[in-house]
Amino acid sequence: MNPLVQIFLSILTAMGGFVEVGELVFAVGAGAKFGFSLLWVVALGTLGIVFFGEMAGRVAAVTRQPIFDWVRERAGFRMGLGTLVAANLVSLLTCTAEIGGIAIVLRLFFGGSYRLLAVVAFLALLLIVWFFAFKWIERFFGLLGLLMIVYLVAAVRLHPDWHAVGAAFLPNVPPLQDPKEYLVYAYFTVSLLSSIMLPYETYFYASGVIEDGWQPRDVPMNRIIV
């Protein structure tokens, strides 16, 4: 594939595949309660996932191994197993949230029982994973996720105070009337950061690197894409 085309497709699928319902839920909730003041957490989390993604892609391209194979070899069986269990639990919770998010969207469109729609969403995901190749899941749903660009358009059309937006990218704690609100602010800080720096995203990216047959010579391409 032409390198420019590869970079273009990778950026598109990254936007559609790495921005997910957990980030949207916590970002919207944080913005509704604290305005722009938590934008610095978004910037920090984005920088963090860039570094982790680059590392995961580089390891996969050079060693041709999944991330956990490499962790187990370097850190030992116990550490590797602990990391594997923890990451899978987080990924399971993330998947559960995704299914719930799909059910909410279906209910908004069609109405009906939320629980029934959650079962429908779960079965649909099982069928997709069973019948679709990884690369088509990545490309189709990644490109479909570009519909979320509506959030960017809406943010501009709402004409925010751009000076306040820029200032919020510096770490800050806004003045709050109730001392208990500072605990809520801390909760949203941790939740928003963890929703952006999700483990599955690095595994997803590294798996794509292996499936696409990247070699050590592709490490510079990996850095550009992340």
Side-chain angles (χ1 to χ4, degrees):
M1 182 183 294
N2 184 288
L4 292 178
V5 175
Q6 189 173 12
I7 292 173
F8 177 71
L9 288 176
S10 298
I11 291 173
L12 291 184
T13 54
M15 181 175 178
F18 279 64
V19 181
E20 46 79 51
V21 67
E23 294 175 52
L24 297 178
V25 168
F26 281 112
V28 170
K33 194 163 186 64
F34 299 107
F36 301 129
S37 62
L38 282 164
L39 281 177
W40 67 273
V41 180
V42 176
L44 180 62
T46 301
L47 186 63
I49 197 63
V50 164
F51 276 101
F52 277 116
E54 192 281 332
M55 179 179 64
R58 174 160 39 89
V59 168
V62 173
T63 66
R64 306 293 301 156
Q65 288 181 304
I67 297 299
F68 278 112
D69 283 4
W70 191 83
V71 171
R72 186 178 64 247
E73 287 184 5
R74 299 302 188 277
F77 177 79
R78 290 185 178 180
M79 184 66 72
L81 180 61
T83 305
L84 179 64
V85 170
N88 274 281
L89 287 175
V90 173
S91 297
L92 178 62
L93 290 173
T94 303
C95 185
T96 304
E98 303 284 1
I99 292 171
I102 294 171
I104 290 174
V105 172
L106 291 176
R107 187 177 183 183
L108 290 173
F109 275 107
F110 306 110
S113 169
Y114 170 77
R115 293 182 179 180
L116 177 60
L117 292 173
V119 173
V120 171
F122 174 68
L123 293 176
L125 288 178
L126 282 181
L127 292 174
I128 289 168
V129 172
W130 184 267
F131 289 106
F132 279 64
F134 177 82
K135 65 178 181 180
W136 292 112
I137 293 176
E138 179 185 27
R139 293 173 184 174
F140 177 75
F141 290 102
L143 294 174
L144 194 63
L146 286 175
L147 292 173
M148 287 189 293
I149 201 171
V150 69
Y151 282 88
L152 299 177
V153 176
V156 174
R157 293 296 297 270
L158 287 172
H159 304 293
D161 180 349
W162 292 109
H163 181 269
V165 171
F169 281 102
L170 296 176
N172 68 92
V173 178
L176 302 171
Q177 295 180 349
D178 188 348
K180 294 181 180 179
E181 288 294 292
Y182 289 102
L183 294 177
V184 179
Y185 184 85
Y187 166 77
F188 271 102
T189 300
V190 175
S191 300
L192 191 55
L193 185 64
S194 60
S195 71
I196 296 172
M197 296 180 61
L198 285 170
Y200 90 87
E201 294 177 343
T202 58
Y203 313 146
F204 180 76
Y205 182 71
S207 298
V209 168
I210 293 175
E211 181 155 324
D212 288 344
W214 284 21
Q215 303 293 330
R217 65 174 180 271
D218 295 308
V219 168
M221 176 72 70
N222 171 62
R223 288 175 180 161
I224 293 171
I225 289 172
V226 298

